[in-house]
PDB file of all heavy atoms in Angstrom:
ATOM      1  N   ILE D 453      13.956  -5.188  15.098  1.00 96.00           N
ATOM      2  CA  ILE D 453      13.618  -6.020  13.954  1.00 96.00           C
ATOM      3  C   ILE D 453      14.668  -7.299  14.030  1.00 96.00           C
ATOM      4  O   ILE D 453      15.801  -7.062  13.928  1.00 96.00           O
ATOM      5  CB  ILE D 453      13.859  -5.444  12.464  1.00 96.00           C
ATOM      6  CG1 ILE D 453      12.920  -4.195  12.442  1.00 96.00           C
ATOM      7  CG2 ILE D 453      13.485  -6.463  11.407  1.00 96.00           C
ATOM      8  CD1 ILE D 453      11.461  -4.410  12.445  1.00 96.00           C
ATOM      9  N   ILE D 454      14.102  -8.552  14.261  1.00 96.00           N
ATOM     10  CA  ILE D 454      14.883  -9.730  14.379  1.00 96.00           C
ATOM     11  C   ILE D 454      14.786 -10.410  12.991  1.00 96.00           C
ATOM     12  O   ILE D 454      13.738 -10.484  12.388  1.00 96.00           O
ATOM     13  CB  ILE D 454      14.318 -10.645  15.464  1.00 96.00           C
ATOM     14  CG1 ILE D 454      14.390  -9.835  16.818  1.00 96.00           C
ATOM     15  CG2 ILE D 454      15.010 -11.930  15.553  1.00 96.00           C
ATOM     16  CD1 ILE D 454      13.554 -10.601  17.890  1.00 96.00           C
ATOM     17  N   CYS D 455      15.963 -10.900  12.544  1.00 96.00           N
ATOM     18  CA  CYS D 455      15.952 -11.622  11.258  1.00 96.00           C
ATOM     19  C   CYS D 455      16.768 -12.982  11.401  1.00 96.00           C
ATOM     20  O   CYS D 455      17.961 -13.060  11.917  1.00 96.00           O
ATOM     21  CB  CYS D 455      16.619 -10.686  10.195  1.00 96.00           C
ATOM     22  SG  CYS D 455      16.789 -11.535   8.553  1.00 96.00           S
ATOM     23  N   VAL D 456      16.163 -14.041  10.891  1.00 96.00           N
ATOM     24  CA  VAL D 456      16.764 -15.267  10.788  1.00 96.00           C
ATOM     25  C   VAL D 456      16.762 -15.617   9.324  1.00 96.00           C
ATOM     26  O   VAL D 456      15.658 -15.840   8.751  1.00 96.00           O
ATOM     27  CB  VAL D 456      16.022 -16.392  11.601  1.00 96.00           C
ATOM     28  CG1 VAL D 456      16.615 -17.762  11.276  1.00 96.00           C
ATOM     29  CG2 VAL D 456      15.996 -16.122  13.049  1.00 96.00           C
ATOM     30  N   GLU D 457      17.992 -15.651   8.696  1.00 95.00           N
ATOM     31  CA  GLU D 457      18.086 -15.806   7.309  1.00 95.00           C
ATOM     32  C   GLU D 457      18.848 -17.116   6.906  1.00 95.00           C
ATOM     33  O   GLU D 457      19.880 -17.467   7.638  1.00 95.00           O
ATOM     34  CB  GLU D 457      18.781 -14.586   6.665  1.00 95.00           C
ATOM     35  CG  GLU D 457      19.140 -14.696   5.234  1.00 95.00           C
ATOM     36  CD  GLU D 457      20.046 -13.526   4.690  1.00 95.00           C
ATOM     37  OE1 GLU D 457      20.212 -12.615   5.538  1.00 95.00           O
ATOM     38  OE2 GLU D 457      20.329 -13.468   3.496  1.00 95.00           O
ATOM     39  N   ASP D 458      18.478 -17.780   5.902  1.00 94.00           N
ATOM     40  CA  ASP D 458      19.201 -19.000   5.428  1.00 94.00           C
ATOM     41  C   ASP D 458      19.373 -18.894   3.929  1.00 94.00           C
ATOM     42  O   ASP D 458      18.597 -18.236   3.214  1.00 94.00           O
ATOM     43  CB  ASP D 458      18.490 -20.288   5.858  1.00 94.00           C
ATOM     44  CG  ASP D 458      17.085 -20.452   5.249  1.00 94.00           C
ATOM     45  OD1 ASP D 458      17.132 -20.805   3.993  1.00 94.00           O
ATOM     46  OD2 ASP D 458      16.118 -20.404   5.962  1.00 94.00           O
ATOM     47  N   THR D 459      20.313 -19.672   3.428  1.00 93.00           N
ATOM     48  CA  THR D 459      20.519 -19.721   2.087  1.00 93.00           C
ATOM     49  C   THR D 459      20.123 -21.138   1.491  1.00 93.00           C
ATOM     50  O   THR D 459      20.715 -21.714   0.582  1.00 93.00           O
ATOM     51  CB  THR D 459      22.064 -19.540   1.659  1.00 93.00           C
ATOM     52  OG1 THR D 459      22.886 -20.508   2.389  1.00 93.00           O
ATOM     53  CG2 THR D 459      22.512 -18.220   2.078  1.00 93.00           C
ATOM     54  N   GLY D 460      18.973 -21.601   1.962  1.00 91.00           N
ATOM     55  CA  GLY D 460      18.572 -23.001   1.827  1.00 91.00           C
ATOM     56  C   GLY D 460      17.651 -23.066   0.514  1.00 91.00           C
ATOM     57  O   GLY D 460      17.772 -22.226  -0.440  1.00 91.00           O
ATOM     58  N   VAL D 461      16.808 -23.999   0.506  1.00 90.00           N
ATOM     59  CA  VAL D 461      15.930 -24.372  -0.574  1.00 90.00           C
ATOM     60  C   VAL D 461      14.966 -23.278  -0.889  1.00 90.00           C
ATOM     61  O   VAL D 461      14.385 -23.241  -2.083  1.00 90.00           O
ATOM     62  CB  VAL D 461      15.305 -25.713  -0.521  1.00 90.00           C
ATOM     63  CG1 VAL D 461      16.271 -26.775  -0.436  1.00 90.00           C
ATOM     64  CG2 VAL D 461      14.376 -25.736   0.682  1.00 90.00           C
ATOM     65  N   GLY D 462      14.526 -22.454  -0.048  1.00 89.00           N
ATOM     66  CA  GLY D 462      13.564 -21.399  -0.215  1.00 89.00           C
ATOM     67  C   GLY D 462      12.091 -21.974  -0.166  1.00 89.00           C
ATOM     68  O   GLY D 462      11.852 -23.208  -0.090  1.00 89.00           O
ATOM     69  N   ILE D 463      11.196 -21.061  -0.426  1.00 88.00           N
ATOM     70  CA  ILE D 463       9.709 -21.418  -0.414  1.00 88.00           C
ATOM     71  C   ILE D 463       9.049 -20.949  -1.628  1.00 88.00           C
ATOM     72  O   ILE D 463       9.142 -19.854  -2.049  1.00 88.00           O
ATOM     73  CB  ILE D 463       9.048 -20.709   0.820  1.00 88.00           C
ATOM     74  CG1 ILE D 463       9.740 -21.211   2.127  1.00 88.00           C
ATOM     75  CG2 ILE D 463       7.625 -21.131   0.962  1.00 88.00           C
ATOM     76  CD1 ILE D 463       9.378 -20.307   3.369  1.00 88.00           C
ATOM     77  N   ALA D 464       8.238 -21.835  -2.327  1.00 86.00           N
ATOM     78  CA  ALA D 464       7.511 -21.356  -3.478  1.00 86.00           C
ATOM     79  C   ALA D 464       6.547 -20.247  -3.234  1.00 86.00           C
ATOM     80  O   ALA D 464       5.971 -20.244  -2.080  1.00 86.00           O
ATOM     81  CB  ALA D 464       6.825 -22.708  -4.171  1.00 86.00           C
ATOM     82  N   LYS D 465       6.397 -19.435  -4.129  1.00 86.00           N
ATOM     83  CA  LYS D 465       5.509 -18.308  -3.991  1.00 86.00           C
ATOM     84  C   LYS D 465       4.080 -18.757  -3.633  1.00 86.00           C
ATOM     85  O   LYS D 465       3.452 -18.044  -2.637  1.00 86.00           O
ATOM     86  CB  LYS D 465       5.525 -17.487  -5.321  1.00 86.00           C
ATOM     87  CG  LYS D 465       4.780 -16.168  -5.177  1.00 86.00           C
ATOM     88  CD  LYS D 465       4.850 -15.295  -6.457  1.00 86.00           C
ATOM     89  CE  LYS D 465       4.116 -14.002  -6.311  1.00 86.00           C
ATOM     90  NZ  LYS D 465       4.138 -13.306  -7.599  1.00 86.00           N
ATOM     91  N   GLU D 466       3.602 -19.762  -4.168  1.00 84.00           N
ATOM     92  CA  GLU D 466       2.179 -20.147  -3.925  1.00 84.00           C
ATOM     93  C   GLU D 466       2.028 -20.759  -2.456  1.00 84.00           C
ATOM     94  O   GLU D 466       0.900 -20.785  -2.011  1.00 84.00           O
ATOM     95  CB  GLU D 466       1.714 -21.222  -4.875  1.00 84.00           C
ATOM     96  CG  GLU D 466       2.502 -22.517  -4.923  1.00 84.00           C
ATOM     97  CD  GLU D 466       3.657 -22.523  -5.836  1.00 84.00           C
ATOM     98  OE1 GLU D 466       4.056 -21.402  -6.335  1.00 84.00           O
ATOM     99  OE2 GLU D 466       4.176 -23.586  -6.295  1.00 84.00           O
ATOM    100  N   ASN D 467       3.131 -21.161  -1.831  1.00 82.00           N
ATOM    101  CA  ASN D 467       3.079 -21.574  -0.476  1.00 82.00           C
ATOM    102  C   ASN D 467       3.356 -20.507   0.664  1.00 82.00           C
ATOM    103  O   ASN D 467       3.084 -20.835   1.841  1.00 82.00           O
ATOM    104  CB  ASN D 467       4.155 -22.723  -0.247  1.00 82.00           C
ATOM    105  CG  ASN D 467       3.713 -23.928  -1.002  1.00 82.00           C
ATOM    106  OD1 ASN D 467       2.632 -24.250  -1.297  1.00 82.00           O
ATOM    107  ND2 ASN D 467       4.788 -24.740  -1.448  1.00 82.00           N
ATOM    108  N   LEU D 468       3.792 -19.310   0.240  1.00 83.00           N
ATOM    109  CA  LEU D 468       4.034 -18.280   1.284  1.00 83.00           C
ATOM    110  C   LEU D 468       2.811 -17.874   2.093  1.00 83.00           C
ATOM    111  O   LEU D 468       2.885 -17.760   3.378  1.00 83.00           O
ATOM    112  CB  LEU D 468       4.679 -17.094   0.578  1.00 83.00           C
ATOM    113  CG  LEU D 468       6.000 -17.203   0.093  1.00 83.00           C
ATOM    114  CD1 LEU D 468       6.428 -15.859  -0.688  1.00 83.00           C
ATOM    115  CD2 LEU D 468       6.993 -17.267   1.189  1.00 83.00           C
ATOM    116  N   ASP D 469       1.595 -17.818   1.451  1.00 80.00           N
ATOM    117  CA  ASP D 469       0.487 -17.420   2.268  1.00 80.00           C
ATOM    118  C   ASP D 469      -0.070 -18.532   3.064  1.00 80.00           C
ATOM    119  O   ASP D 469      -0.973 -18.237   3.917  1.00 80.00           O
ATOM    120  CB  ASP D 469      -0.692 -17.042   1.200  1.00 80.00           C
ATOM    121  CG  ASP D 469      -0.386 -15.775   0.424  1.00 80.00           C
ATOM    122  OD1 ASP D 469       0.464 -15.003   0.934  1.00 80.00           O
ATOM    123  OD2 ASP D 469      -0.906 -15.660  -0.682  1.00 80.00           O
ATOM    124  N   LYS D 470       0.393 -19.875   2.919  1.00 78.00           N
ATOM    125  CA  LYS D 470      -0.128 -20.843   3.849  1.00 78.00           C
ATOM    126  C   LYS D 470       0.733 -20.949   5.085  1.00 78.00           C
ATOM    127  O   LYS D 470       0.308 -21.682   5.970  1.00 78.00           O
ATOM    128  CB  LYS D 470       0.058 -22.158   3.035  1.00 78.00           C
ATOM    129  CG  LYS D 470      -0.630 -22.206   1.724  1.00 78.00           C
ATOM    130  CD  LYS D 470      -0.398 -23.544   1.022  1.00 78.00           C
ATOM    131  CE  LYS D 470      -1.013 -23.561  -0.384  1.00 78.00           C
ATOM    132  NZ  LYS D 470      -0.663 -24.788  -1.084  1.00 78.00           N
ATOM    133  N   LEU D 471       1.802 -20.349   5.216  1.00 80.00           N
ATOM    134  CA  LEU D 471       2.821 -20.672   6.307  1.00 80.00           C
ATOM    135  C   LEU D 471       2.216 -20.248   7.704  1.00 80.00           C
ATOM    136  O   LEU D 471       2.490 -21.119   8.604  1.00 80.00           O
ATOM    137  CB  LEU D 471       4.103 -19.747   6.087  1.00 80.00           C
ATOM    138  CG  LEU D 471       4.939 -20.091   4.903  1.00 80.00           C
ATOM    139  CD1 LEU D 471       6.112 -19.253   4.825  1.00 80.00           C
ATOM    140  CD2 LEU D 471       5.391 -21.617   4.978  1.00 80.00           C
ATOM    141  N   PHE D 472       1.484 -19.118   7.820  1.00 77.00           N
ATOM    142  CA  PHE D 472       1.134 -18.686   9.156  1.00 77.00           C
ATOM    143  C   PHE D 472      -0.371 -19.019   9.493  1.00 77.00           C
ATOM    144  O   PHE D 472      -0.854 -18.503  10.468  1.00 77.00           O
ATOM    145  CB  PHE D 472       1.305 -17.219   9.283  1.00 77.00           C
ATOM    146  CG  PHE D 472       2.776 -16.764   9.083  1.00 77.00           C
ATOM    147  CD1 PHE D 472       3.189 -16.155   7.986  1.00 77.00           C
ATOM    148  CD2 PHE D 472       3.748 -17.105  10.053  1.00 77.00           C
ATOM    149  CE1 PHE D 472       4.505 -15.621   7.850  1.00 77.00           C
ATOM    150  CE2 PHE D 472       5.014 -16.658   9.929  1.00 77.00           C
ATOM    151  CZ  PHE D 472       5.399 -15.937   8.774  1.00 77.00           C
ATOM    152  N   LYS D 473      -0.948 -19.892   8.542  1.00 72.00           N
ATOM    153  CA  LYS D 473      -2.381 -20.240   8.874  1.00 72.00           C
ATOM    154  C   LYS D 473      -2.502 -21.553   9.696  1.00 72.00           C
ATOM    155  O   LYS D 473      -1.589 -22.356   9.666  1.00 72.00           O
ATOM    156  CB  LYS D 473      -3.117 -20.433   7.526  1.00 72.00           C
ATOM    157  CG  LYS D 473      -3.236 -19.116   6.724  1.00 72.00           C
ATOM    158  CD  LYS D 473      -3.942 -19.222   5.479  1.00 72.00           C
ATOM    159  CE  LYS D 473      -4.059 -17.900   4.735  1.00 72.00           C
ATOM    160  NZ  LYS D 473      -4.812 -18.007   3.459  1.00 72.00           N
ATOM    161  N   ASN D 474      -3.548 -21.739  10.355  1.00 60.00           N
ATOM    162  CA  ASN D 474      -3.773 -22.941  11.227  1.00 60.00           C
ATOM    163  C   ASN D 474      -4.238 -24.158  10.264  1.00 60.00           C
ATOM    164  O   ASN D 474      -5.234 -24.846  10.640  1.00 60.00           O
ATOM    165  CB  ASN D 474      -4.889 -22.632  12.161  1.00 60.00           C
ATOM    166  CG  ASN D 474      -4.324 -22.326  13.496  1.00 60.00           C
ATOM    167  OD1 ASN D 474      -2.971 -22.379  13.628  1.00 60.00           O
ATOM    168  ND2 ASN D 474      -5.080 -21.919  14.537  1.00 60.00           N
ATOM    169  N   ASN D 475      -3.511 -24.282   9.057  1.00 54.00           N
ATOM    170  CA  ASN D 475      -3.890 -25.414   8.290  1.00 54.00           C
ATOM    171  C   ASN D 475      -2.783 -26.511   8.276  1.00 54.00           C
ATOM    172  O   ASN D 475      -2.705 -27.347   7.375  1.00 54.00           O
ATOM    173  CB  ASN D 475      -4.249 -24.998   6.824  1.00 54.00           C
ATOM    174  CG  ASN D 475      -2.969 -24.255   6.297  1.00 54.00           C
ATOM    175  OD1 ASN D 475      -1.984 -24.121   6.958  1.00 54.00           O
ATOM    176  ND2 ASN D 475      -3.214 -23.646   5.150  1.00 54.00           N
ATOM    177  N   THR D 476      -1.912 -26.357   9.250  1.00 51.00           N
ATOM    178  CA  THR D 476      -0.846 -27.371   9.471  1.00 51.00           C
ATOM    179  C   THR D 476      -0.136 -27.722   8.157  1.00 51.00           C
ATOM    180  O   THR D 476      -0.001 -28.785   7.770  1.00 51.00           O
ATOM    181  CB  THR D 476      -1.408 -28.724  10.020  1.00 51.00           C
ATOM    182  OG1 THR D 476      -2.452 -29.267   9.150  1.00 51.00           O
ATOM    183  CG2 THR D 476      -2.101 -28.481  11.395  1.00 51.00           C
TER     184      THR D 476
END
Side-chain angles (χ1 to χ4, degrees):
I453 306 292
I454 298 166
C455 179
V456 177
E457 177 183 0
D458 66 71
T459 59
V461 295
I463 304 166
K465 187 176 181 181
E466 62 270 18
N467 291 332
L468 285 175
D469 292 337
K470 303 175 184 177
L471 294 180
F472 299 110
K473 295 181 179 177
N474 263 354
N475 55 6
T476 62

